[in-house]
Amino acid sequence: MSEGLPFKLGAAVLQRIEPLVPANEPGGGDAQILASRRLARQRQFQTGRRCAAELLSALGSSVTEVGVAADRSPVWPPGFVGSITHKDTILGVAVAKASAVGAVGIDIERVLSPKLADDVESVCLIARERELGRRLGIERCLFATLCFSAKESLYKCLYPSVRRFFDHFAAEVIELDVAEGTMRLRLNEHLSSAAPLGRVLAGSFRLRDDHAFTSFELPP
Ligand SMILES: CC(C)(COP(=O)(O)OP(=O)(O)OC[C@H]1O[C@@H](n2cnc3c(N)ncnc32)[C@H](O)[C@@H]1OP(=O)(O)O)[C@@H](O)C(=O)NCCC(=O)NCCS
């Protein structure tokens, strides 16, 4: 594992974290606010592509462009896998050779407020998960954040093979160890031959500066 880096990923995965300039919210009306948000989104997109290109180049890829599929998922050059995430002022990118890593998914979330934790608990968690959090004695907002982020990074990891939307009830957090930064999720839905009902997938996380950095990687 690469100690000191935000995502707890194996050595075959290169990762990069970049600061992002957030949208400012200028006075003067909706049009200016929208223009400012559009600009921030453009910067976010471009920063992700620049970081991905640098990592692809470091891995020896002659193609360094990452495309965008019609469903908005990233299209990595043949022979490479990767994942992109952004939250507030932080952007993260992870890239690996497909010969070394089958798939990778990363996500960054700011630790949720009590109100957002309520929403996540009711929309993204099942009763057994809420009970797990209570049994483990993990603070409610932190537990909801970790579960939510884990499911988002698992989604990004599995999507290239599943190729369809699946919601937050498709996977269930069945173990979570805050001290170790590890968790296990079980699939409650058959997603693909490689991701069948009942498969248990191990993920990792680190907590830094009020943010959770979650990640999954699969063998080739
Ligand atoms: C697609 C999704 C996972 C993105 O996560 P997010 O927290 O909203 O946003 P993030 O900033 O972390 O990630 C955005 C990046 O994800 C990537 N992405 C978008 N769709 C993707 C997909 N289907 N598969 C993999 N990566 C995807 C893109 O690279 C995007 O960045 P870019 O547009 O600059 O290239 C999320 O919007 C979503 O649809 N979630 C619902 C599905 C889900 O999580 N189910 C749980 C299953 S257990």
Side-chain angles (χ1 to χ4, degrees):
M1 293 287 175
S2 321
E3 295 302 329
L5 294 168
F7 295 102
K8 205 170 170 187
L9 287 160
V13 186
L14 297 190
Q15 57 175 287
R16 174 73 59 85
I17 289 289
E18 279 281 306
L20 285 173
V21 182
N24 59 5
E25 301 283 314
D30 290 350
Q32 274 158 301
I33 291 173
L34 281 177
S36 167
R37 286 184 187 167
R38 221 175 2 251
L39 182 65
R41 170 60 187 141
Q42 273 166 11
R43 281 197 300 252
Q44 185 187 70
F45 180 84
Q46 285 160 2
T47 306
R49 268 24 189 205
R50 176 176 52 74
C51 291
E54 287 167 12
L55 296 180
L56 283 163
S57 178
L59 285 168
S61 178
S62 54
V63 181
T64 56
E65 290 84 35
V66 178
V68 187
D71 58 16
R72 311 299 305 160
S73 62
V75 180
W76 297 92
F80 294 87
V81 296
S83 186
I84 298 171
T85 180
H86 7 72
K87 186 71 190 173
D88 307 328
T89 56
I90 317 172
L91 175 136
V93 181
V95 184
K97 285 185 180 170
S99 55
V101 174
V104 61
I106 58 172
D107 186 66
I108 305 172
E109 296 294 335
R110 178 191 289 275
V111 175
L112 296 167
S113 66
K115 166 74 185 78
L116 287 174
D118 287 347
D119 295 344
V120 162
E121 281 179 347
S122 57
V123 178
C124 304
L125 303 191
I126 62 171
R128 268 199 307 265
E129 290 174 308
R130 293 193 293 272
E131 172 51 32
L132 175 71
R134 283 193 288 271
R135 208 170 57 239
L136 294 173
I138 301 173
E139 194 275 322
R140 190 179 72 88
C141 295
L142 176 61
F143 185 75
T145 308
L146 289 170
C147 290
F148 178 70
S149 183
K151 291 182 180 196
E152 299 267 310
S153 52
L154 182 64
Y155 181 81
K156 292 182 200 171
C157 185
L158 294 181
Y159 187 83
S161 57
V162 175
R163 305 279 355 146
R164 69 167 172 86
F165 178 83
F166 50 101
D167 68 22
H168 294 87
F169 302 122
E172 174 182 344
V173 177
I174 54 169
E175 285 176 33
L176 197 148
D177 187 326
V178 173
E180 291 293 319
T182 55
M183 60 215 168
R184 283 154 66 84
L185 275 70
R186 183 179 57 227
L187 298 180
N188 284 341
E189 206 178 291
H190 180 91
L191 299 175
S192 71
S193 54
L197 173 71
R199 182 171 177 190
V200 174
L201 297 128
S204 301
F205 61 89
R206 286 200 170 108
L207 294 168
R208 278 195 183 174
D209 303 330
D210 230 17
H211 287 76
F213 295 75
T214 60
S215 54
F216 281 83
E217 66 183 284
L218 299 179

